[in-house]
């Protein structure tokens, strides 16, 4: 109980059932905590219920059972707007979340909802666009932007609101590699600079690798919770969790098939490189290792 | 945690109307079918308005009608018509949405309401054109508009049939 | 160009009324002067305006011809055959209608070329503000109109993509009779509507997530400002109106 | 620009977003006619003056799977949707429906799906139905525009395996437009690089990825195995059979020079 103050989000025994789906629940008995300033990744294959979970956190779905507490406010129909004020969310499809007719109008949308005076909106919009590097595009219409640029505008909308928590709901999955990297780099910077708590729902192994902790959701249940290195160590099983197998794990498996035994556990690329180099050069420098009796 | 649903439903309906108006505008600007018989053109404006009105009723119907009527004229360079179109297409959407009732069969539930809406449109433009450019111009507008609404009616009937088949929610009127 | 869009909309509307009030050569002359003045002020080349007339030329000629042939009797009869009379009245009326066409087309081209559609929509919404008193949700309508406008290019793109996909599956758009074309539209329209439903659902959730409760409890980022030059246009307009009213008397 | 794809080949087209890849593939079945020059696909030749009617056989010959192809589904049942394409090219209804059932299993969906509405399925399943609808036209060439976009890794893998199987077993010529360099390294036999509407380089994956500096200058990624192999190369490891592009190729070369212990 003394730890209560430390958690920015507490989810207890959460369940949700779609109104038209008779058979099974989209979420069932999910409980976890999020610490302030933490980067939490939520993974799971398509249809596992992870997006439902994200929406439930923001009060966008009327969950059937359980409690959600955000910044010590218990989520109820009465407190939903207080909860939402603490959370910024970016969704998958860049086109379906762009509200404004131009970039600056879109960034201002959330501020208008908070009824900020116009002068303050102008300074905040300008600063937010500057932060994500979209100042040049302030007057552009969304149709003239790439998917990556649209997501950066969405991020600017959140920077302008300065929430404590950022939820990325597969926000990079429709972007090309350049757009994805640019977006991730920005989120990393914001996470560091502003002590933003980041919850990223993702299939992308690089995005998951940024996390302090990974939750694995399958069929509406929380099935695993651990640090990335421990999750990544599961090799081929990661595919079932909706993640790609890390390159080092693929290489390790391929080496194993060829009679070479790599070190156990997850290796970063640096570790793998180091180990390979050691193994190759050790022997070429000292052809025969002295064998112990 | 279910209490937020009323506001939610209202917003959903507003956004649905806005996106359907966008769809109607996009279709009208993009797809222009030449009619050899009258040397005129047919657009899909009616299909958008009628389908929205039938599936979602009012106020979606009246908004899609009015907004798309207005914006199509502004976007395609005939702003002199935009206020007339706002009223005429708005009324057209209103009438179809108010009369349509899918439970009472295709003819009585769909076709008759659309005929009423079509009458509003043809008469409306006759009056507006006559007012602007005299009765001969008004008369000249009638054949083209008749083909336009007729085409819209035919496409709408098949489209509504398809859409309701896929989406049980639509056929039960749950979204409405 | 830099006028308040509300002003432009109101001016255009009143201009149409002005065109109706004109009933003799002198008043039309005043109108032509006003129109040319407005075009000069806009610094748009006259060629653009003439281009706007071209697609309507047949309608104009048809109307003018009908007006010429079937005008009510009056004045000197130039030519007579069966029930067709070409009268002095008819010729004059036809001339007026012709000028009316030109004037209205020019003014509307001016409005289109000098104003962004978004501004026209904002202007319209702003002009509707008095309707608040009769409980019309003007702010909501403004929000909806702006969203509609923002989605037009997105949906046009999508329609193009679906058409391409169906064409690759052997659909011929734009070929055959009307009935065949109506049938070919189904593979385009069904997916397009389904996607519009999804987009609307996604967007309303995104708006809620960004704290949108309703249209009243919001502040405004984009505002329109009424400037000195807007007032000047009304002075000129009033002058024109007065002149035309005087001309009518004579 | 000029480009030749061999029969039964597997070509990957890569390039930055907006480099003209989509324009190129729309040319391949003449959704866009060339403004100058000529396109020859097997026995079909398309020039700027080819009539629309003459294009139709080509459209059957070249099957197109566009980005997010699930958005082309519109029929009441999955079976009817798959049969739609063949019917437009003159296959009788009964035959087309039988064909649809066959295609359904080919893309890895259960035959029991035939009578269900496509809109009840998950996104990944809808995509399979759309692909079945293209395969049902029996194209000789299959053009794929980012066919795995938006799928989870498992779905991506299954999708790429499906195309590989079609290529291997049925001899389909495949043109794949993608940002996924891992897929290019693993599956493609030939790679075309586009930039600003121009074809800037054509070659085998080995040739293209063998020059990582050039690729980076063109804002294109290098497959992970190649990146990794390059790092080892800077430490002095040599790759006698060329830079390995996949984890297995890398493991092969490592195993070959592994000290016998």
């Amino acid at each position: 109980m003394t730890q209560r103050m430390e958690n920015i989000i507490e989810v207890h025994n959460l369940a949700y059932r779609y109104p038209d789906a008779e058979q099974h629940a989209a979420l069932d008995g999910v409980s976890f905590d999020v610490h302030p300033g933490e980067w939490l990744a939520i993974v799971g294959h398509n249809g596992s219920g992870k997006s439902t979970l994200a929406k439930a956190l923001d009060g966008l779905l009327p969950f059937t059972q359980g409690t959600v507490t955000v910044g010590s406010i218990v989520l109820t129909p009465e407190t939903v707007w207080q909860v939402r004020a603490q959370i910024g969310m970016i969704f998958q499809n860049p086109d379906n979340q762009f509200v404004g007719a131009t970039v600056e109008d879109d960034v201002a949308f959330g501020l208008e909802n908070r009824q900020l005076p116009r002068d303050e909106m102008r300074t905040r919009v300008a600063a937010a666009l500057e932060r994500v590097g979209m100042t040049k595009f302030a007057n552009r219409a969304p149709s003239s932007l790439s998917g990556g640029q649209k997501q950066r505008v969405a991020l600017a909308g959140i920077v302008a609101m300065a929430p404590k928590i950022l939820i990325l709901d597969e926000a990079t999955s429709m972007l090309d590699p350049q757009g994805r990297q640019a977006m991730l780099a920005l989120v990393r910077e914001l996470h560091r600079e502003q002590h933003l708590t980041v919850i990223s729902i993702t299939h992308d192994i690089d995005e998951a690798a940024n996390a302090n902790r990974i939750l694995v959701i399958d069929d509406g249940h929380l099935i695993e919770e651990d640090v990335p290195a421990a999750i990544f160590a599961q090799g081929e099983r990661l595919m079932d969790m909706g993640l790609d197998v890390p390159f080092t794990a693929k290489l390790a498996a391929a080496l194993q098939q060829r009679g070479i035994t790599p070190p156990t556990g997850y290796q970063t690329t640096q570790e793998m490189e180091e180990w390979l180099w050691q193994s190759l050069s050790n022997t070429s420098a000292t052809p025969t290792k002295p064998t112990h009796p | 945690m279910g209490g937020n649903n009323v506001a939610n439903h209202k917003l959903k309906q507003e956004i649905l109307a806005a996106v359907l108006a966008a769809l109607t505008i996009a279709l009208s600007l993009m797809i222009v079918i030449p009619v050899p018989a009258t040397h005129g053109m047919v657009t899909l404006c009616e299909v958008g308005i009628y389908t929205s009105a039938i599936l979602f009723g009012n106020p979606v119907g009246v908004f899609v009608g009015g907004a798309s009527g207005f914006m199509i004229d502004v976007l395609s360079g005939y702003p002199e018509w935009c206020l007339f179109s706002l009223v005429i297409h708005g009324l057209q959407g209103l009438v179809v949405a108010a009369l349509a009732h899918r439970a009472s069969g295709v003819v009585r539930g769909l076709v008759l309401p659309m005929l009423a809406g079509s009458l509003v449109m043809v008469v409306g433009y006759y009056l507006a054109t006559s007012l602007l450019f005299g009765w001969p111009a008004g008369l000249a507008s009638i054949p083209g508009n008749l083909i336009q609404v007729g085409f819209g009616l035919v496409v709408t009937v098949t489209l509504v049939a398809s859409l309701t088949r896929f989406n049980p929610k639509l056929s039960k009127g749950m979204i409405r | 160009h830099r006028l308040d869009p509300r002003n432009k909309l109101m001016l255009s509307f009143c201009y149409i009324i002005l065109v109706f009030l004109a009933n003799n050569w002198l008043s039309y002359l005043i109108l032509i002067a006003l129109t040319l003045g407005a075009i000069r002020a806009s610094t748009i080349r006259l060629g653009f305006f003439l281009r706007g007339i071209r697609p309507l030329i047949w309608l104009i000629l048809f109307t003018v011809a009908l007006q010429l042939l079937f005008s009510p009797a009056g004045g000197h009869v130039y030519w007579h055959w069966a029930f067709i009379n070409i009268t002095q009245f008819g010729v004059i009326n036809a001339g007026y209608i012709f000028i009316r066409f030109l004037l209205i087309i020019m003014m509307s081209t001016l409005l289109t070329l000098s104003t962004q559609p978004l501004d026209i929509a904002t202007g319209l919404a702003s002009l509707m503000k008095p309707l608040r008193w009769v409980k019309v949700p003007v702010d909501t309508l403004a929000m909806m109109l702006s969203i509609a406008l923002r989605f037009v290019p997105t949906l046009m793109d999508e329609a193009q993509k679906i058409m391409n996909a169906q064409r690759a599956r052997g659909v011929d758009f734009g070929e055959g009779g009307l009935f065949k074309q109506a049938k070919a539209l189904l593979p385009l329209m069904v997916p397009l509507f389904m996607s519009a439903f999804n987009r609307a659902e996604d967007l309303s959730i995104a708006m809620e997530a960004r704290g949108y409760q309703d249209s009243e409890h919001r502040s405004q980022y984009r505002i329109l400002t009424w400037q000195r030059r807007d007032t000047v246009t009304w002075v000129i307009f009033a002058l024109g109106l007065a002149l035309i009213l005087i001309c009518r008397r004579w | 620009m000029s480009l030749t794809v061999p029969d039964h080949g597997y070509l990957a087209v890569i390039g930055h977003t907006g480099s003209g890849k989509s324009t190129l593939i729309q040319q391949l079945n003449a959704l866009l006619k060339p403004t100058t020059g000529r396109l020859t696909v097997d026995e079909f030749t398309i020039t700027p003056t080819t009539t629309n009617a003459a294009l139709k056989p080509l459209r059957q010959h070249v099957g197109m799977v566009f980005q997010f192809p699930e958005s082309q589904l519109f029929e009441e049942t999955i079976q009817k949707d798959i049969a739609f394409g063949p019917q437009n090219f003159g296959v009788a209804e009964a035959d087309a429906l039988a064909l649809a059932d066959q295609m359904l299993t080919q893309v890895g969906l259960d035959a029991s799906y035939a009578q269900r509405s496509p809109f009840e399925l998950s996104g990944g399943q809808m995509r399979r139905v759309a692909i079945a609808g293209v395969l049902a036209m029996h194209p000789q060439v299959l053009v794929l525009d980012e066919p795995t976009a938006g799928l989870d890794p498992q779905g991506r893998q299954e999708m790429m395996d499906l195309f590989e199987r079609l290529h291997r077993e049925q001899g389909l010529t495949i043109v794949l437009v993608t940002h996924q360099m891992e897929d290019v390294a693993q599956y493609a036999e030939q790679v075309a690089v586009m930039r600003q509407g121009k074809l800037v380089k054509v070659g085998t994956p080995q040739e293209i990825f063998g020059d990582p500096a050039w690729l980076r200058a063109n804002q294109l990624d290098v497959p992970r195995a190649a990146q990794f192999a390059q790092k080892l190369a800077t430490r002095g490891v040599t790759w006698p059979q060329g830079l390995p592009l996949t984890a297995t190729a890398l493991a092969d070369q490592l195993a070959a020079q592994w000290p016998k212990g």
Side-chain angles (χ1 to χ4, degrees):
Chain A
M1 279 297 122
T2 45
Q3 286 206 330
R4 192 151 256 278
M5 288 301 289
E6 285 179 18
N7 295 327
I8 190 160
I9 298 180
E10 290 180 3
V11 175
H12 182 68
N13 200 22
L14 192 67
Y16 179 74
R17 200 175 275 276
Y18 279 101
D20 44 355
E22 298 88 14
Q23 323 94 339
H24 64 272
L27 286 178
D28 196 7
V30 174
S31 302
F32 64 93
D33 299 329
V34 186
H35 319 302
E38 185 183 27
W39 183 316
L40 181 75
I42 301 179
V43 306
H45 59 76
N46 279 346
S48 59
K50 55 195 193 314
S51 282
T52 310
L53 175 58
K55 290 197 179 93
L57 293 184
D58 206 22
L60 295 166
L61 285 176
F63 46 82
T64 34
Q65 176 200 312
T67 53
V68 171
T69 312
V70 178
S72 74
I73 298 171
V74 178
L75 179 60
T76 65
E78 288 71 41
T79 61
V80 68
W81 297 107
Q82 284 165 270
V83 167
R84 281 179 196 163
Q86 302 179 63
I87 300 177
M89 250 180 120
I90 301 186
F91 298 91
Q92 182 176 23
N93 191 334
D95 266 324
N96 295 359
Q97 54 189 314
F98 207 110
V99 187
T102 69
V103 166
E104 55 175 338
D105 283 286
D106 190 67
V107 177
F109 178 76
L111 304 173
E112 291 176 318
N113 293 336
R114 284 219 197 136
Q115 305 190 57
L116 285 167
R118 190 156 177 275
D119 288 335
E120 185 171 355
M121 283 202 276
R122 291 177 68 91
T123 37
R124 283 215 203 179
V125 168
L129 283 176
E130 183 71 44
R131 185 64 200 80
V132 303
M134 290 292 289
T135 305
K136 267 192 302 187
F137 299 85
N139 283 309
R140 295 272 286 271
S143 53
S144 67
L145 305 180
S146 72
Q149 288 170 330
K150 279 178 208 156
Q151 291 299 62
R152 263 153 68 194
V153 174
L155 202 52
I158 283 163
V159 170
M161 303 281 284
K164 290 185 215 148
I165 303 159
L166 171 64
I167 301 181
L168 304 169
D169 186 359
E170 296 192 45
T172 62
S173 72
M174 286 174 81
L175 308 183
D176 62 19
Q178 280 80 25
R180 179 175 306 159
Q181 280 156 22
M183 179 87 179
L184 260 183
L186 259 175
V187 173
R188 245 181 253 135
E189 286 167 24
L190 293 172
H191 173 241
R192 211 175 38 233
E193 287 166 16
Q194 314 192 352
H195 299 285
L196 207 59
T197 305
V198 176
I199 299 179
S200 77
I201 288 157
T202 187
H203 294 304
D204 189 57
I205 189 108
D206 296 328
E207 206 173 315
N210 271 308
N212 303 107
R213 202 153 50 105
I214 298 181
L215 302 185
V216 184
I217 305 275
D218 186 37
D219 207 18
H221 297 272
L222 180 64
I223 56 164
E224 226 157 324
E225 178 181 346
D226 217 325
V227 292
I231 299 279
F232 292 169
Q234 308 203 23
E236 305 285 318
R237 269 200 59 218
L238 288 168
M239 277 288 214
D240 301 329
M241 299 178 183
L243 274 179
D244 221 336
V245 179
F247 168 72
T248 52
K250 278 187 199 159
L251 181 60
L255 287 172
Q256 191 102 48
Q257 279 171 11
R258 286 159 185 77
I260 298 168
T261 313
T264 49
Y266 171 71
Q267 309 278 305
T268 64
T269 41
Q270 281 89 348
E271 287 163 356
M272 193 72 166
E273 187 189 323
E274 199 56 45
W275 172 75
L276 279 170
W277 171 241
Q278 290 296 330
S279 317
L280 287 168
S281 55
N282 264 350
T283 40
S284 50
T286 46
T288 44
K289 246 184 174 175
T291 45
H292 294 287
Chain B
M1 215 0 259
N4 189 34
N5 270 339
V6 181
N8 194 326
H9 181 77
K10 191 169 159 273
L11 178 63
K12 279 202 168 112
Q13 209 184 33
E14 287 163 9
I15 302 305
L16 186 66
V19 176
L20 287 173
L23 179 61
T24 307
I25 299 166
L27 283 172
S28 305
L29 295 182
M30 253 184 95
I31 300 170
V32 178
I33 301 161
V35 182
T38 59
H39 287 286
M41 310 279 194
V42 167
T43 72
L44 293 174
C45 173
E46 265 65 33
V47 182
I49 297 173
Y50 290 169
T51 308
S52 311
I54 290 167
L55 293 178
F56 305 106
N58 277 322
V60 175
V62 60
F63 179 83
V64 173
S68 49
F70 179 83
M71 286 318 300
I72 290 165
D73 286 340
V74 169
L75 291 170
S76 50
Y78 306 103
E80 72 268 31
W81 288 105
C82 69
L83 291 174
F84 294 107
S85 297
L86 174 78
V87 175
I88 295 169
H89 285 297
L91 272 178
Q92 187 187 12
L94 181 84
V95 166
V96 176
L99 298 179
H101 188 63
R102 264 170 298 124
S104 42
V106 174
V107 175
R108 275 184 40 209
L110 296 184
V111 176
L112 285 183
M114 280 195 275
L115 284 177
S118 304
L119 191 71
V120 169
M121 187 269 206
V122 175
V123 172
Y125 275 106
Y126 168 76
L127 292 177
T129 316
S130 305
L131 190 68
L132 274 184
F133 303 119
W135 62 267
L139 217 54
S141 77
I142 291 180
N145 283 339
L146 279 177
I147 296 179
Q148 162 94 15
V149 289
F151 186 76
L153 200 151
V154 172
V155 176
T156 306
V157 170
T158 50
L159 181 61
V160 166
S162 283
L163 287 175
T164 45
R165 233 175 282 144
F166 296 138
N167 206 331
K169 268 192 217 163
L170 287 178
S171 58
K172 283 182 215 147
M174 266 171 67
I175 293 180
R176 198 168 171 174
Chain C
H1 251 289
R2 265 164 280 133
L3 295 177
D4 188 316
R6 284 174 295 188
N7 186 22
K8 285 195 209 169
L9 264 180
M10 277 195 288
L11 275 176
S12 313
F13 189 67
C14 295
Y15 176 84
I16 291 175
I17 296 173
L18 212 57
V19 172
F20 285 114
L21 287 176
N23 66 344
N24 56 31
W25 285 110
L26 201 56
S27 50
Y28 273 108
L29 256 161
I30 295 166
L31 269 178
I32 291 171
L34 267 180
T35 314
L36 290 177
I39 289 174
R40 259 207 78 102
S42 73
T43 65
I44 296 168
R45 271 185 299 123
L46 206 63
F48 279 109
F49 296 92
L50 298 178
R51 222 171 289 160
I53 296 168
R54 208 178 298 153
L56 290 171
I57 197 78
W58 286 110
L59 177 72
I60 298 176
L61 288 182
F62 176 77
T63 312
V64 170
L66 274 187
Q67 198 80 43
L68 192 65
L69 297 177
F70 298 105
S71 270
H76 181 74
V77 177
Y78 294 119
W79 191 65
H80 175 86
W81 180 77
F83 55 89
I84 297 173
N85 292 306
I86 295 186
T87 64
Q88 190 184 5
F89 226 78
V91 171
I92 292 173
N93 261 341
Y96 286 166
I97 288 288
F98 183 70
I99 293 175
R100 239 190 222 189
F101 262 113
L102 292 191
L103 288 176
I104 291 185
I105 290 170
M106 282 190 169
M107 216 41 174
S108 63
T109 315
L110 180 62
L111 181 67
T112 318
L113 288 179
S114 68
T115 318
Q116 292 288 320
L118 174 66
D119 287 332
I120 296 187
T122 321
L124 175 76
S126 172
L127 283 179
M128 291 188 331
K129 267 185 189 148
L131 289 177
R132 265 196 201 132
W133 295 104
V134 286
K135 299 253 155 122
V136 175
V138 177
D139 296 308
T140 308
L141 289 176
M143 180 269 292
M144 289 164 76
L145 209 54
S146 144
I147 287 174
L149 214 51
R150 171 247 166 285
F151 267 95
V152 170
T154 309
L155 290 168
M156 280 173 103
D157 257 15
E158 179 155 35
Q160 190 60 56
K161 279 183 192 147
I162 297 173
M163 277 173 89
N164 275 344
Q166 305 299 22
R167 231 183 251 144
R169 292 213 281 169
V171 177
D172 303 307
F173 291 104
E175 269 165 46
L178 267 191
F179 186 73
K180 202 178 162 218
Q181 297 210 19
K183 218 182 134 205
L185 282 171
L186 213 55
L188 166 68
M189 304 290 272
V190 172
L192 213 46
F193 269 88
M194 294 304 259
S195 123
F197 300 156
N198 288 335
R199 285 181 191 278
E201 173 88 17
D202 281 1
L203 186 68
S204 61
I205 288 177
M207 285 172 73
E208 271 197 277
R210 292 174 72 182
Y212 181 89
Q213 297 187 50
D214 57 52
S215 55
E216 272 95 74
H217 301 101
R218 307 184 74 224
S219 51
Q220 289 281 309
Y221 182 75
R222 179 176 287 266
I223 54 169
L224 302 167
T225 44
W226 188 274
Q227 288 163 315
R228 182 99 154 265
R229 55 170 81 91
D230 291 299
T231 316
V232 172
T233 56
W234 278 99
V235 172
I236 297 173
F237 185 84
L239 226 67
L241 177 71
L243 278 174
I244 283 173
L245 284 177
I246 295 168
C247 290
R248 272 173 76 90
R249 277 284 180 79
W250 286 341
Chain D
M1 60 179 270
S2 286
L3 170 67
T4 312
V5 188
D7 252 5
H8 315 300
Y10 198 132
L11 170 78
V13 181
I14 59 177
H16 201 239
T17 304
S19 59
K21 291 173 297 183
S22 317
T23 315
L24 173 71
I25 58 164
Q26 287 181 42
Q27 301 266 5
L28 291 181
N29 83 345
L31 286 172
L32 291 175
K33 278 190 263 183
T35 44
T36 58
R38 165 203 349 230
L39 165 79
T40 310
V41 181
D42 291 338
E43 70 270 27
F44 306 99
T45 301
I46 307 298
T47 63
T49 53
T50 309
T51 62
N52 281 337
L55 296 177
K56 216 164 168 183
L58 172 69
R59 298 230 167 112
Q60 185 195 353
H61 194 79
V62 181
M64 300 283 276
V65 176
F66 287 97
Q67 240 183 83
F68 300 103
E70 53 273 28
S71 70
Q72 72 191 35
L73 302 178
F74 75 101
E75 282 277 19
E76 207 179 321
T77 67
I78 289 168
Q79 188 192 36
K80 277 192 191 168
D81 207 288
I82 300 175
F84 177 71
Q87 279 175 283
N88 284 328
F89 292 108
V91 176
E93 194 183 344
D95 297 342
L97 292 177
L99 195 59
D101 291 338
Q102 201 186 318
M103 289 301 147
L104 201 55
T105 42
Q106 187 160 72
V107 296
L109 289 174
D110 196 81
S112 65
Y113 279 65
Q115 298 306 323
R116 286 171 63 181
S117 156
F119 294 95
E120 290 169 16
L121 305 182
S122 74
Q125 289 171 323
M126 280 170 83
R127 187 167 303 183
R128 282 160 190 268
V129 172
I131 290 167
V134 175
L135 294 176
M137 301 189 294
H138 284 312
Q140 299 303 302
V141 181
L142 194 59
V143 180
L144 308 161
D145 189 357
E146 307 236 19
T148 61
L151 296 180
D152 63 16
Q154 192 158 24
R156 281 210 299 267
Q157 177 83 57
E158 287 167 6
M159 203 56 83
M160 291 312 295
D161 287 347
L162 167 70
F163 300 133
E164 171 66 10
R165 210 170 59 236
L166 291 167
H167 172 61
R168 217 177 39 237
E169 291 170 7
Q170 303 184 13
L172 245 67
T173 305
I174 294 201
V175 177
L176 169 73
V177 174
T178 187
H179 287 299
Q180 307 283 338
M181 297 305 155
E182 310 300 320
D183 291 343
V184 177
Q186 196 174 349
Y187 301 105
E189 290 155 13
Q190 212 192 351
V191 186
V193 186
M194 305 248 336
R195 186 178 59 200
Q196 288 168 354
K198 290 201 181 72
L199 197 61
V200 286
K201 210 167 181 180
V202 184
T204 61
Q206 279 292 337
E207 289 161 5
I208 299 290
F209 293 127
D211 191 355
W214 182 83
L215 278 169
R216 284 205 192 88
N218 282 282
Q219 289 180 289
L220 291 167
D221 285 336
V222 182
R224 298 226 167 190
Q227 282 177 31
F228 190 78
Q230 250 208 321
K231 276 197 190 144
L232 283 173
T234 57
R235 290 190 169 205
V237 179
T238 55
W239 308 108
Q241 293 159 56
L243 199 66
L245 304 181
T246 61
T248 44
L250 180 61
D252 278 339
Q253 291 211 36
L254 284 172
Q257 47 187 298
W258 203 259
K260 305 282 176 290

